[in-house]
Amino acid sequence: MTIANGDFEFVSGLVQRESAISLPKGKEYLVEARLTPLARDTGLGSLPALVAELRQEASGELRRRVVDAMTTNETSWFRDRTPFEALGNGVLDRLVAARRGQGRVRVWSAGCSSGQEPYSIAMTVAPRLAAEGMTLDLVATDLSEEMVTRGKAGRYTDFEMKRGLSPQAREAHFSRVEDGWQISDELRAMVSFRSLNLAAPFPPLGTMDVVFLRNVLIYFDAETKAQVLERVGQLLAPDGYLFLGAAETTINVDERFTRTTVGGATVYRLDGKAAA
Ligand SMILES: C[S@@+](CC[C@H](N)C(=O)[O-])C[C@H]1O[C@@H](n2cnc3c(N)ncnc32)[C@H](O)[C@@H]1O
């Protein structure tokens, strides 16, 4: 079904206000593809009926479901590999040395989708930290409540398991369940999932040693990208590390960050000299 111009403008305005996800003209197909199934699921039947309901809805539940449906949750285990290799080697070596006194390392996976990213981080750093007598404090957040629920559950389909996870990691950390694979209680206990909108002021999260903010900024306009990076810069430790997605950068967006490489991966730091 083709969406009417007025309905598209209403939906894209609402999604922009609630999540900063940018839906310029030309994205009508995406709104149609995502909201037609929602119209069916909610019993409203058609896209025009769903938008009509949305225009007068008071509770906010349908609005939340529409915004959730417009998020793109594409992810995989150890996505792009090199960031995780850099994290597990050079970055962790430096953080273990710098944080030994505090006994813990704090990591934030922002825009964590269904959990593959934070669980990949946990698999990468937890064994080494345990061997050093240190702990991992890992927070994972997403705007989508559906994704937060999925991350907490830690249950994945056969298809999802095939995307980036080695047979060894599967054997070590998952058990077979009726409809897929269940991640171990040990890994689940390491990740604290919660919902958080990156486009609004952050709730208190404390100082982070590492921030993974990967493949999220691409959905925002230039002004929102700058605002999000400004807030991330405020909570990143002065000697901390920011990881972005392969198509993202701080360059020409937030000049406080310096781009550098660790083990073939690009990382961003507040103090370029500390990276030496
Ligand atoms: C493409 S996924 C990336 C997942 C993971 N970081 C990765 O690189 O594999 C983008 C995620 O960002 C989330 N997202 C979009 N807008 C957001 C916002 N305003 N605040 C928080 N998360 C948001 C989406 O719900 C989605 O799960």
Side-chain angles (χ1 to χ4, degrees), residues 18-21 68 71-76 79-80 109-114 116-118 141-144 147 196-200 212-216 218-220 224 245:
E18 300 269 324
S19 70
I21 295 170
D68 207 310
T71 62
T72 298
N73 311 116
E74 164 67 17
T75 191
S76 56
R79 187 171 184 177
D80 301 333
S109 166
C112 63
S113 189
S114 36
Q116 285 89 331
E117 180 176 278
T141 66
D142 202 282
L143 174 72
S144 159
M147 289 302 115
L196 182 148
N197 185 356
L198 289 165
F212 268 54
L213 176 67
R214 305 192 62 226
N215 308 298
V216 189
I218 39 168
Y219 300 105
F220 302 154
T224 310

Side-chain angles (χ1 to χ4, degrees), residues 72-215:
T72 298
N73 311 116
E74 164 67 17
T75 191
S76 56
W77 303 97
F78 302 94
R79 187 171 184 177
D80 301 333
R81 285 269 150 205
T82 48
F84 293 90
E85 285 162 13
L87 176 67
N89 294 298
V91 169
L92 197 53
D93 288 344
R94 292 175 204 178
L95 283 177
V96 164
R99 297 291 184 273
R100 201 177 290 283
Q102 293 169 16
R104 68 172 185 171
V105 169
R106 304 202 67 226
V107 183
W108 179 23
S109 166
C112 63
S113 189
S114 36
Q116 285 89 331
E117 180 176 278
Y119 287 130
S120 299
I121 293 171
M123 287 183 236
T124 303
V125 303
R128 168 82 185 280
L129 289 178
E132 300 281 351
M134 296 171 71
T135 55
L136 169 66
D137 187 357
L138 177 48
V139 180
T141 66
D142 202 282
L143 174 72
S144 159
E145 285 178 25
E146 202 182 317
M147 289 302 115
V148 171
T149 303
R150 283 214 58 204
K152 279 183 190 163
R155 192 171 279 216
Y156 298 97
T157 63
D158 285 321
F159 176 72
E160 288 168 327
M161 293 294 284
K162 285 189 189 119
R163 303 191 61 203
L165 195 69
S166 68
Q168 292 85 339
R170 196 186 64 196
E171 286 310 306
H173 301 293
F174 293 81
S175 50
R176 198 65 168 116
V177 288
E178 200 184 330
D179 52 353
W181 296 83
Q182 175 66 53
I183 205 158
S184 68
D185 289 343
E186 192 191 356
L187 275 176
R188 267 180 77 198
M190 283 181 202
V191 188
S192 165
F193 285 93
R194 57 194 272 195
S195 58
L196 182 148
N197 185 356
L198 289 165
F202 300 163
L205 290 168
T207 302
M208 294 290 169
D209 300 313
V210 177
V211 175
F212 268 54
L213 176 67
R214 305 192 62 226
N215 308 298

Side-chain angles (χ1 to χ4, degrees), residues 22 29 37 59 90 103 138 171 217:
S22 180
Y29 72 92
S59 75
L138 177 48
E171 286 310 306
L217 292 178

Side-chain angles (χ1 to χ4, degrees), residues 3-19 21-25 27-28 31 35 44 47-58 60 62-64 66-67 70:
I3 189 167
N5 271 345
D7 283 355
F8 174 71
E9 277 162 24
F10 180 77
V11 170
S12 64
L14 180 140
V15 171
Q16 169 79 43
R17 280 192 306 280
E18 300 269 324
S19 70
I21 295 170
S22 180
L23 292 170
K25 273 203 165 306
K27 294 276 182 181
E28 287 85 351
V31 173
L35 299 192
L44 290 160
L47 196 44
L50 180 132
V51 179
E53 178 68 25
L54 198 56
R55 285 178 189 273
Q56 46 152 31
E57 189 213 28
L62 185 60
R63 193 163 65 227
R64 188 195 63 71
V66 164
V67 174
M70 291 314 305

